[in-house]
Amino acid sequence: MTLDYDDLLNSIMSSLDRTRQVDVKDIPNIDLYMDQLLTFMDDSLHKSVRRPGADKILTKTMINNYAKNDLLPPPVKKKYSKDHIIILIFIYYYKSILSINDIHTLLKPMRDRFGDTDKEVNLKDIYQMIYDEQDDIIDNLKKDIEKKYKVAIDDTFPDAPEDERAELQLLNFISMLSYDVFMKKLLIETMLDHVESVCMNKTDTKGGKESRKKKK
């Protein structure tokens, strides 16, 4: 197995530059029917999938399932608003690493603000804030990848036969990235478990107070 390491690293960095979050200014201000919504999502996010043209960004079945699981408010007269699209974009990014239940917990602040443009912080504000962070996130990710890449390629398996070294180094590099993802996913799940626990305690406390009021 032979690899052009410079070409591989350049390809990785280019893929990060291509995978950009949808600019809030590009999200339509008019409500969309289902087919229009699917077309917009596909046009906007196709560069982020592994096999563009083959992998589905979104389907009617997915949207209906999100509504059934209370992740997404139902359409109004079969039309989806800008707030619908914002939530769907977040679901798209989260679904590859989080369960439906975790996404439901995470998106509660957004569902609470759905359709309410008079809130001090509305869905558009939340999306814009996270969008503005992406350049720093990608820059830091590039630095981290370059560091891991250097360790994996330059400093590992020096005694392995030359025809096996590249394969072992690539395994090491991907394993380092995978473990990083695993630990971050574990951290996210721990935080969401804490949030869910706090919410349940609040509900139990509120229910207890109402029960005591009824007894009086």
Side-chain angles (χ1 to χ4, degrees), residues 41 94 107 111 126 166 174 185 197 202 209:
M41 294 291 284
Y94 294 148
L107 291 183
R111 293 196 306 277
I126 295 172
I174 293 176
K185 180 175 182 290
S197 176
K202 286 182 178 179
K209 288 180 179 179

Side-chain angles (χ1 to χ4, degrees), residues 57-180:
I57 301 292
L58 195 62
T59 65
K60 294 179 181 180
T61 300
M62 290 179 189
I63 293 176
N64 291 333
N65 285 338
Y66 298 153
K68 287 179 182 177
N69 285 282
D70 197 28
L71 295 181
L72 185 74
V76 177
K77 296 181 179 179
K78 298 184 178 181
K79 286 187 175 183
Y80 296 86
S81 66
K82 190 167 191 170
D83 281 1
H84 278 109
I85 296 173
I86 288 174
I87 290 181
L88 282 169
I89 291 173
F90 277 107
I91 292 174
Y92 171 74
Y93 287 121
Y94 294 148
K95 68 179 183 178
S96 63
I97 57 172
L98 296 176
S99 68
I100 291 294
N101 186 62
D102 283 339
I103 296 174
H104 186 274
T105 301
L106 184 58
L107 291 183
K108 183 181 182 304
M110 299 187 71
R111 293 196 306 277
D112 289 345
R113 291 168 170 79
F114 184 88
D116 192 345
T117 57
D118 295 329
K119 285 271 190 183
E120 291 183 2
V121 179
N122 57 41
L123 261 67
K124 182 180 175 181
D125 297 327
I126 295 172
Y127 187 91
Q128 186 66 57
M129 180 192 67
I130 296 174
Y131 177 86
D132 291 341
E133 295 289 334
Q134 71 174 321
D135 286 336
D136 287 339
I137 291 171
I138 291 175
D139 286 343
N140 290 331
L141 180 58
K142 284 182 175 181
K143 292 174 184 176
D144 183 58
I145 288 174
E146 287 179 342
K147 181 179 177 181
K148 287 183 172 65
Y149 188 85
K150 181 174 176 59
V151 171
I153 303 306
D154 292 347
D155 303 330
T156 59
F157 305 108
D159 300 326
E162 187 174 350
D163 61 339
E164 298 176 8
R165 191 178 306 138
E167 187 175 43
L168 293 170
Q169 289 171 337
L170 182 62
L171 170 64
N172 189 39
F173 179 50
I174 293 176
S175 295
M176 292 168 69
L177 295 175
S178 299
Y179 188 68
D180 183 67

